[in-house]
Amino acid sequence: MKPLKLIGLAFGASLALSTTALAQDITVAVAGPMTGSESAFGRQLQNGAEQAVVDLNAAGGVLGKKLALQVGDDGCDPKQARSVAEKIAGSKIPFVAGHFCSSSSIPASEAYAEGNVLQITPGSTNPLFTERKLWNVLRVCGRDDQQGLVAADYIVKNYKGKNVAILNDKTTYGKGLADETKKALNKAGFTEAMFESYNKGDKDFNSIVSRLKRENIDLVFVGGYHQEAGLILRQMRDQGLKTVLMAGDAMNDREFASITGPLAEGTLFTFGPDPRNKPTAKAIVEKFKAKNIDPEGYTLYTYAAFQIWSEAAKKAGTTDPKKVMAAIKAGEWDTVLGKLSFDAKGDIKLIDYVVYKWDAKGNYAEINPAK
C-alpha cells in the first residue's frame, strides 16, 4: 500500500522537514483512489483539497492556525481504505474529505467513527453510507436512490416500448446504483429485458455484448465505473451495435473519452448540475483554470467539504469532531456548490440530478437541466 503523504503549503514538503515546521498546524486529510483504475477521481479529490487548503491558509487558516494536508491512497479497495482510515485516526486528525468509492467510504467510516474523525465524502453515493446512524458521516453529493430515480425517469420517457438492459459490476456503488435504477423502472411499470453482472476490472465483454445483440437492446444502463463502461461501449461498436450506453456519476471524468475516443458521442450519464457553472464557484473555477486544472466531477465537491468543516470549526470554536459535527448539522453553509444544509443522517437536504450527454469531441453537457 502506498504510504500516506504529509503535504504542507507547497504540497511537496518532506516528512522530515514537516515535524517542526508544521508543529503548530492543524492537519486535515483527503483520501481516495490516488492510484489504480479510479485514480482520475482521486485526482479530482486531491485537486479540490489542495486548493481549499491554500485558500483557507491565505485567509488566515482555522482558529488562528494554518492547515497541513495529508493524502491517503485507498486504491478503491475496502481493506486498503480501512487501513488508511486507521492511520488517519491514529494521527489524531480531526477531519477527512473522502473517500470516493462507496466500497471504501463505508468500511473507512467505521474506523473514523471509532477514532474520532469527522468524515465528509465528496462522492460516495450508496445510501448505506448515511443509513447506519454513525455520528461522524456527511456527504455533499446525492444518493443512488435519488440518482436511480432520475435515470429511470429519463429511460421511461425516452425509451417506452424499447428494450433496455441493466448491467452492474458487483461493487457497492455499481450494484447499488443498478438496483436503484431497476427498482425505479419497475415501479414505473417498465421491465428491463436483461439484468446482468460482470466483475470490476474485466476487459473482455464480448459475451455480454453478444447477448445485448441477441436481445436487440436499445439502451444499456451500466452500474459501474468509467473504465469498464468505456470498454463495453467500444466492444458494442465493434460488433455493430448502435445501443445507447447510460451510466451514473462515475462517468464524470474526461478519461472516459480517452478510452472511447469519438465513440463516446451519445453516451449518457447522471450527475448533479455542473458546479463549474454556479455563480458561487466562479472565482474558484478561475483559480483552477489559472493552474491549467479543469475542476470537473467531484473537485468542487471536495472544496465545499473543506469550506463546511472550516466554517463549522470556527463557529464551534474548536476542531473537536463531535462539536464541529453538531455545528454543521445545526447550520446552513455557503459553499462553491451554493448553500448546503444537512439532515440528521448526514445527507444534504436538497439535491438535483440531471442527465448529461457526451459528444464526439470528448465534452459533455446537460440535456435536461434542473429546474
Side-chain angles (χ1 to χ4, degrees), residues 308 315 325-334 340-342 349:
I308 293 164
K315 187 167 186 178
M325 176 62 86
I328 290 174
K329 288 188 175 179
E332 185 176 56
W333 309 97
D334 291 317
L340 297 181
S341 58
F342 298 84
K349 291 182 179 179

Side-chain angles (χ1 to χ4, degrees), residues 59-333:
V62 175
L63 301 177
K65 295 183 178 182
K66 298 291 187 180
L67 299 179
L69 183 67
Q70 197 174 79
V71 179
D73 176 21
D74 65 27
C76 200
D77 175 79
K79 291 182 180 179
Q80 191 166 322
R82 173 83 193 200
S83 178
V84 166
E86 289 171 350
K87 286 179 182 287
I88 289 172
S91 299
K92 307 297 183 185
I93 293 172
F95 165 66
V96 59
H99 298 225
F100 174 69
C101 300
S102 294
S103 56
S104 292
S105 274
I106 291 170
S109 66
E110 295 164 1
Y112 293 136
E114 294 164 6
N116 199 36
V117 180
L118 193 159
Q119 177 189 7
I120 304 180
T121 177
S124 294
T125 53
N126 188 279
L128 187 61
F129 178 74
T130 50
E131 289 290 340
R132 294 161 300 147
K133 299 182 179 178
L134 294 181
W135 69 268
N136 65 316
V137 296
L138 299 163
R139 62 174 135 215
V140 288
C141 57
R143 296 164 44 125
D144 289 332
D145 46 359
Q146 299 163 329
Q147 187 170 194
L149 280 172
V150 172
D153 182 65
Y154 180 87
I155 292 169
V156 169
K157 287 179 179 177
N158 293 278
Y159 286 86
K160 185 177 181 179
K162 303 288 188 179
N163 295 323
V164 171
I166 302 174
L167 306 179
N168 76 86
D169 65 359
K170 303 180 185 177
T171 66
T172 304
Y173 163 71
K175 179 67 161 56
L177 178 56
D179 286 346
E180 293 294 346
T181 303
K182 172 181 165 60
K183 186 190 302 181
L185 279 173
N186 295 167
K187 188 175 181 180
F190 193 111
T191 302
E192 70 282 359
M194 173 180 164
F195 190 91
E196 189 61 77
S197 61
Y198 58 89
N199 295 308
K200 189 176 184 297
D202 281 354
K203 306 291 184 187
D204 184 353
F205 297 96
N206 281 302
S207 62
I208 287 178
V209 170
S210 294
R211 186 175 170 196
L212 294 174
K213 194 172 185 177
R214 288 196 304 272
E215 299 287 345
N216 294 314
I217 299 299
D218 298 290
L219 178 142
V220 56
F221 183 88
V222 178
Y225 293 91
H226 68 302
Q227 295 278 357
E228 291 79 17
L231 293 176
I232 290 169
L233 180 63
R234 284 173 53 182
Q235 290 169 38
M236 285 198 303
R237 299 298 180 257
D238 286 345
Q239 288 200 33
L241 272 73
K242 295 182 179 180
T243 305
V244 172
L245 188 143
M246 185 177 192
D249 58 304
M251 297 275 280
N252 195 352
D253 189 279
R254 283 190 170 81
E255 190 173 271
F256 172 72
S258 73
I259 297 169
T260 62
L263 299 178
E265 184 175 17
T267 296
L268 308 169
F269 70 93
T270 49
F271 187 60
D274 195 332
R276 294 172 297 183
N277 298 332
K278 291 180 179 288
T280 48
K282 187 175 186 296
I284 307 305
V285 169
E286 289 174 356
K287 288 184 180 182
F288 278 110
K289 289 184 176 179
K291 296 180 178 180
N292 202 30
I293 294 172
D294 180 3
E296 65 178 330
Y298 286 105
T299 306
L300 293 172
Y301 285 72
T302 309
Y303 191 100
F306 276 86
Q307 288 180 303
I308 293 164
W309 172 81
S310 62
E311 289 304 311
K314 292 173 188 176
K315 187 167 186 178
T318 177
T319 60
D320 177 87
K322 289 186 172 67
K323 292 179 180 178
V324 174
M325 176 62 86
I328 290 174
K329 288 188 175 179
E332 185 176 56
W333 309 97

